[in-house]
């Protein structure tokens, strides 16, 4: 999309938010630029690409529209800066392809899964993809991003032949399919598959699309240090915790499936239940609470509303603010699943005596407190100067 020299205004632009006080940033270009990026990231994520214009972003950042244009050239240029390389194939991945062409499928699989596993609730990329499903201008903008950030780098590696074009189209379809299934629609089992298990499988699929040997593309297994034990106590502790968490998640998944919904959708209902009367939250609050990945909440809300399990409520003072609220049917479903879940939990812990359960709960509580504090190990650097 070509840059323009005038602010772009959508047909129904989100209302400008009240400008923040400048707080001495009049002669602070870096601070102004950072404020614009933060405002754009927040507004694009909340309202989508098409509903936010330069004036709205400038007002939220406390700067003039002309200053936004001077920094980024256009709304498209600003959006590209905000999104970064989240949709694309990074220079680091391409550098790995030069050094080890057979390793490109694994590098690409790792890069995409790592980026989307860490996707922030304030990231506008998911909003753009959702908008593209039923908004042609957003679809065109997304197609342009993918062409420049995915197709162009892949063309540099695979060439311009007809076969290369077919392979590039297949690779794009694979990557985008994973994003949609795992992160945006959050369908099971893709949504809950551990990254450590999904990454080698995605590597194999990408290797076939690239035309390389899947065995040669697999990441090398780490070599154990000479005379090193198979696993130390710390490793065994976290391996056991990971295994228990996976078994518990499988149990809950079976329970909720009997009631006709997926695990991710149930987690939305459960978080609304935990909110207490009147059992409502905004989608941003649900994402922050970790109920479901940021990109999938809208789709789950749509399905749950159609099933009569939640309702959308607009704030009386700010009509742009929408909350999700449990209906009586949704509350009853959460409570029924809760009873079945507790029965399953008792079954999982059946091999432990009551005193062992209490001791385990105390130990896990202490571990959780220590992790929550986030204190670095003795001698480790801390604070803003830490590497």
């Amino acid at each position: 999309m070509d840059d323009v020299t005038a602010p772009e205004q959508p047909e129904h632009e989100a209302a400008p938010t009240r400008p923040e006080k400048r707080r001495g940033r009049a002669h602070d270009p870096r601070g102004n630029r950072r404020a614009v990026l933060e405002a754009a990231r927040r507004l694009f994520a909340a309202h989508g690409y098409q509903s936010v214009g330069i004036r709205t972003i400038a007002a939220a950042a406390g700067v003039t529209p002309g200053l936004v244009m001077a920094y980024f050239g256009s709304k498209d240029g600003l959006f590209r800066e905000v999104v970064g390389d989240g949709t694309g194939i990074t220079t680091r991945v391409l550098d790995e392809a030069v050094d080890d062409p057979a390793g490109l499928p694994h590098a690409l699989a790792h890069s995409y899964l790592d980026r989307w596993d860490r996707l922030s609730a304030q990231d506008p990329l998911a909003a753009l993809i959702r908008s593209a499903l039923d908004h042609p201008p957003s679809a065109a903008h997304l197609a342009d991003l993918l062409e420049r950030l995915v197709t162009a780098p892949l063309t540099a590696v695979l060439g311009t032949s007809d076969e290369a074009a077919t392979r590039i189209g297949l690779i794009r379809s694979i990557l985008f399919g994973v994003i949609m299934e795992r992160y945006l629609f959050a369908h099971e089992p893709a949504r809950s598959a551990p990254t450590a298990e999904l990454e080698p499988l995605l590597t194999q699929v990408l290797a076939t699309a690239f035309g390389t040997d899947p065995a040669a593309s697999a990441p090398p297994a780490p070599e154990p240090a000479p005379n090193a034990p198979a696993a130390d106590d710390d490793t065994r502790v976290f391996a056991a915790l990971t295994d228990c968490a996976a078994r518990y998640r499988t149990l809950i998944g079976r329970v909720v499936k009997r009631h006709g919904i997926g695990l991710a959708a149930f987690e939305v209902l459960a978080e609304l239940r935990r909110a207490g009367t009147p059992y409502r939250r905004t989608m941003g609050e649900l994402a922050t609470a970790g109920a479901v990945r940021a990109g999938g909440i809208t789709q789950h809300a749509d399905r749950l509303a159609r099933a009569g399990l939640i309702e959308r409520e607009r704030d009386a003072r700010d009509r742009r603010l929408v909350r999700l609220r449990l209906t009586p049917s949704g509350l009853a479903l959460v409570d029924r699943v809760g009873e079945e879940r507790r029965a399953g939990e008792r079954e999982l812990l059946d091999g432990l005596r009551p005193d062992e359960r209490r001791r385990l709960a105390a130990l896990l509580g202490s571990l959780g407190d220590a992790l929550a504090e986030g204190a670095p190990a003795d001698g480790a650097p801390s604070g803003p100067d830490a590497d």
Side-chain angles (χ1 to χ4, degrees), residues 109-144:
H110 177 78
S111 174
Y112 263 73
L113 292 176
D114 181 65
R115 165 70 170 87
W116 282 84
D117 279 348
R118 294 184 292 106
L119 186 73
S120 166
Q122 296 300 316
D123 196 302
L125 180 56
L128 174 66
I129 296 176
R130 289 195 301 269
S131 298
L133 296 177
D134 56 10
H135 185 258
S138 295
H141 186 70
L142 178 61
D144 177 66

